[in-house]
Amino acid sequence: MLSAESLKQIDVELAKYPADQRRSAVMSALRIAQTEKGCLKPETIEYVAEYIGIAPVAAYEVATFYNMYDLKPVGKYKLTVCTNLPCALRGGVAAADYLKQRLGIGFGETTSDGKFTLVEGECMGACGDAPVMLLNNHKMCSFMTEEAIEAKLAELN
């Protein structure tokens, strides 16, 4: 189900916790699996749960709670825009609306060429840099004005 390299990475995460607290590695293990597979299908979540020794429902709880986990395929670039109140007050909703118009998609949708998926995100802990956008769950983009959005899209093309 997962490559030997991914399992090795999960083993490194498991080694960080006492044997009776293997559940603590579930977030990292799911991230590793998603990186390899592109998204977390039910069989992948169940495999990760069995590998780390927890009930599958415990892994499902994590995978369905956090929006960094993708339960279906996403575009090459996943753009998560924070629309919580602090970002909204500083242009987060406007940035999201601009991306919707610019890309021709709504939240939870992917462009027809498979390049971009747009997601509405919860607080990313960067209120002072609002509006913020997270690129592929890993790169924080700050002060996302229309000009900054255009520059980022040009960089990704």
Side-chain angles (χ1 to χ4, degrees):
M1 171 68 66
L2 293 176
S3 69
E5 179 59 33
S6 289
L7 294 176
K8 182 179 174 184
Q9 290 175 29
I10 292 172
D11 289 341
V12 168
E13 296 302 317
L14 287 167
K16 295 177 182 178
Y17 304 100
D20 65 334
Q21 295 178 18
R22 294 173 63 90
R23 181 180 181 154
S24 298
V26 68
M27 290 186 75
S28 295
L30 289 170
R31 178 189 50 78
I32 292 164
Q34 179 172 283
T35 298
E36 178 179 327
K37 296 292 189 180
C39 68
L40 294 173
K41 295 183 178 178
E43 57 270 18
T44 305
I45 297 170
E46 291 172 16
Y47 180 84
V48 167
E50 290 173 19
Y51 187 81
I52 64 175
I54 63 173
V57 70
Y60 275 105
E61 289 170 345
V62 172
T64 57
F65 181 78
Y66 294 102
N67 70 357
M68 70 185 112
Y69 300 113
D70 303 314
L71 303 180
K72 62 181 184 176
V74 295
K76 179 177 180 181
Y77 301 110
K78 179 182 171 187
L79 308 175
T80 305
V81 181
C82 180
T83 58
N84 274 10
L85 186 57
C87 275
L89 292 173
R90 294 190 58 194
V93 174
D97 288 343
Y98 182 77
L99 275 164
K100 288 177 186 178
Q101 177 271 324
R102 175 68 169 73
L103 298 174
I105 58 174
F107 286 133
E109 296 178 351
T110 301
T111 55
S112 59
D113 62 2
K115 197 165 193 177
F116 297 101
T117 297
L118 186 59
V119 178
E120 183 174 24
E122 291 298 319
C123 182
M124 298 175 195
C127 303
D129 291 353
V132 295
M133 178 177 76
L134 192 60
L135 173 62
N136 289 343
N137 297 325
H138 297 287
K139 183 176 181 357
M140 181 73 66
C141 303
S142 300
F143 309 108
M144 296 309 291
T145 61
E146 289 182 10
E147 295 79 17
I149 289 169
E150 285 301 325
K152 180 56 66 180
L153 293 176
E155 179 184 314
L156 300 176
N157 279 322

